[in-house]
Amino acid sequence: NTTRMVTAYKKVRSIIEELWENNPIKPLVMGPACTGTSEFKQLLETLGPFIDIATYHKYHGSGKDSSIVKRARKPEFYTHPISNGGQSKWVENYMSNNLVRAQLWIGEGAMLYNSGRHGVTNAFIGSLWFANLLGSLPKSNPLPHSVYCRQALIGGYYELISHERLDPNPDYWVAFLWKRLVGTRAIGPIISSNRVDSFELSKQFTFGCCKKPGQDTLLVHSFCANSGKRIRNNTNHPGDVVFIVINIDEKTSFDLNITLGASRTEYILTPQSNNLTSQKVLLNGKTLSIAHDGTFPGIIGRRVNLVKVTRTPPISISFIVVHEAQIQQCLEADSADAKLLEPEELIPGNFTQTKITNINGSIEETNHESIQDSKGKLTSGADVQYFLQLDNVPLLCSVIFFAIIVLFRYRSIDCS
């Protein structure tokens, strides 16, 4: 009942304004937490003035679909996973309250609904999709997604912790490394093979190599590295960059010659026995698992010098932290506003083009350099076509219960 729902939200808003009248920090109201795009649009039209955070549920298929494994092995499955939704546009249109800048959250989401599917959403093949989704979230336009709440911590077959083994599923390790290594500001695209990646194209496709959107088997995202002091044993520093490189090819390795920065730390995830349906994950060749006494494994990256190439093996997810990259956007303090920068607003970094070669050594990617004009704007070169600046993407939350009111400022929420 839309009328009753609007009345309730209006009442909640009035209570908040009354109780926190002179307090600059107020509870945030979120909703409508619906599943269908038409319902989301309809409710936003009426609820928009009374909420601070627009939320919806997002799944990308059914766990009962027996063809999902076959489809998930094809490159077209990994084209921009949120390009078909108009939620971002509707939030901009219908949210008018000025307490905070409008935010867009996926309040509940996973690869497949109907509790997921065994051998897919709890296996490494699902993690290839999950890592790509997290890299794609800041590309929604005109408003980037700020928070992704993952369904579920435990329960069903989209769970992060197996209810059968009480051991982390592959997506857990992707979420863990993302939280530890990846910062809150997305940059890119960095790699652009055999085509000029445009700002418009970036809204629709994941960037990769080495054919064309929808056919690429190497998918690339880049963010400023997480240099926060609250991360234990954090070796990242302001200005560092992290590449998330997803190789969905089942036979081909790729060598990345990264000429940026002074050194790198590599965290390369692969499935046990190179099996897409494996629930066991290897980090740099060593199995990740919780000991019988509950001891958490050591998460140690492989430190390499600048001259050594990074080999991304078949069926792998690589987190490559480039140290001392000195990217200006990553040296600056995080902005409080999530903003998608238009091409004319670019502040180019000192990237040099990442050159990609396949395992046979043949060059798949030419080496370009960014050229700046006298005003310091990017005028040519495929290195950096745009920058995405985002305050909080993505916090990884395992959702069991979704509340209407958040009693803390969103930037202080820690769902680790």
Side-chain angles (χ1 to χ4, degrees), residues 98-253:
N98 58 6
L99 178 63
V100 293
R101 190 173 189 268
Q103 297 179 51
L104 178 59
W105 292 15
I106 295 180
E108 177 188 313
M111 182 179 178
L112 305 174
Y113 55 88
N114 292 131
S115 294
R117 187 178 181 88
H118 181 61
V120 180
T121 51
N122 61 352
F124 199 84
I125 189 171
S127 295
L128 297 171
W129 174 89
F130 184 43
N132 186 53
L133 171 78
L134 296 179
S136 301
L137 285 172
K139 296 178 182 177
S140 58
N141 185 64
L143 188 68
H145 286 69
S146 305
V147 172
Y148 180 82
C149 297
R150 171 60 189 264
Q151 175 82 354
L153 178 62
I154 192 165
Y157 287 113
Y158 42 30
E159 59 194 358
L160 297 180
I161 306 295
S162 170
H163 67 276
E164 299 170 328
R165 299 176 291 111
L166 293 182
D167 204 39
N169 282 325
D171 279 3
Y172 176 89
W173 299 114
V174 172
F176 181 88
L177 284 174
W178 197 286
K179 187 79 172 180
R180 168 172 284 196
L181 302 175
V182 181
T184 59
R185 184 172 295 182
I187 56 176
I190 304 303
I191 295 177
S192 168
S193 65
N194 304 324
R195 64 182 184 265
V196 177
D197 286 329
S198 69
F199 181 72
E200 287 300 319
L201 191 63
S202 71
K203 303 171 189 175
Q204 302 177 40
F205 297 104
T206 294
F207 286 88
C209 182
C210 292
K211 296 179 180 179
K212 64 180 182 179
Q215 297 182 21
D216 292 330
T217 56
L218 190 74
L219 312 174
V220 183
H221 301 280
S222 53
F223 287 75
C224 297
N226 184 0
S227 57
K229 295 181 180 180
R230 66 184 181 85
I231 304 297
R232 184 181 301 175
N233 300 323
N234 191 359
T235 58
N236 300 338
H237 297 90
D240 291 358
V241 172
V242 57
F243 293 92
I244 300 93
V245 184
I246 306 156
N247 186 359
I248 65 173
D249 197 297
E250 298 181 40
K251 297 180 180 180
T252 305
S253 296

Side-chain angles (χ1 to χ4, degrees), residues 8-21 27 405:
Y9 269 91
K10 186 176 181 179
K11 181 64 175 177
V12 168
R13 171 61 67 193
S14 66
I15 292 172
I16 290 174
E17 296 301 325
E18 179 182 352
L19 295 180
W20 281 268
E21 181 179 5
I405 303 177

Side-chain angles (χ1 to χ4, degrees), residues 73 128 217-218 247-255 274 276 311-316 358-360:
R73 298 173 79 157
L128 297 171
T217 56
L218 190 74
N247 186 359
I248 65 173
D249 197 297
E250 298 181 40
K251 297 180 180 180
T252 305
S253 296
F254 290 88
D255 288 345
N274 208 36
L276 276 170
R311 173 157 294 181
T312 59
I315 315 174
S316 64
N358 65 20
I359 197 169
N360 297 320

Side-chain angles (χ1 to χ4, degrees), residues 128 130 152 183 248 261 298 300 315 372 377 385 399:
L128 297 171
F130 184 43
I248 65 173
I300 302 173
I315 315 174
Q372 299 181 31
K377 293 185 178 181
Q385 291 293 331
V399 178

Side-chain angles (χ1 to χ4, degrees), residues 74-118:
K74 296 181 179 180
E76 55 264 28
F77 188 76
Y78 296 87
T79 54
H80 200 313
I82 52 176
S83 63
N84 59 349
Q87 290 87 347
S88 179
K89 178 181 178 181
W90 300 331
V91 170
E92 287 279 290
N93 289 343
Y94 301 123
M95 287 181 65
S96 58
N97 104 75
N98 58 6
L99 178 63
V100 293
R101 190 173 189 268
Q103 297 179 51
L104 178 59
W105 292 15
I106 295 180
E108 177 188 313
M111 182 179 178
L112 305 174
Y113 55 88
N114 292 131
S115 294
R117 187 178 181 88
H118 181 61

